Amino acid sequence: GDLAVVLAGAAATLRPGGIMVLASPGPLHPAELAFACREAGFFDVSVEWRPPPPAPGSHCTLTAVR
């Protein structure tokens, strides 16, 4: 899907050791996003939970290193 295309593009664009930071405000579970990042070639993927925004749903920041 679209997420795989975006992550593949980011993995192809970032130099080794480059860092990608994503914010997930909604329907995609952070574990699923972390898995997708690893499948795209990122490693050292971490999820940091943040206070939820005013709208309902979870909110996290994901950091992934290529």
Side-chain angles (χ1 to χ4, degrees):
D2 293 337
L3 177 61
V5 171
V6 169
L7 294 176
T13 303
L14 287 172
R15 289 183 266 166
I19 298 173
M20 174 178 68
V21 178
L22 302 172
S24 173
L28 187 61
H29 192 279
E32 185 178 354
L33 182 56
F35 175 79
C37 286
R38 288 185 187 96
E39 288 293 304
F42 290 91
F43 67 96
D44 195 17
V45 176
S46 65
V47 174
E48 294 181 27
W49 290 97
R50 303 285 185 199
S58 62
H59 182 76
C60 72
T61 301
L62 180 134
T63 305
V65 179
R66 179 177 182 290

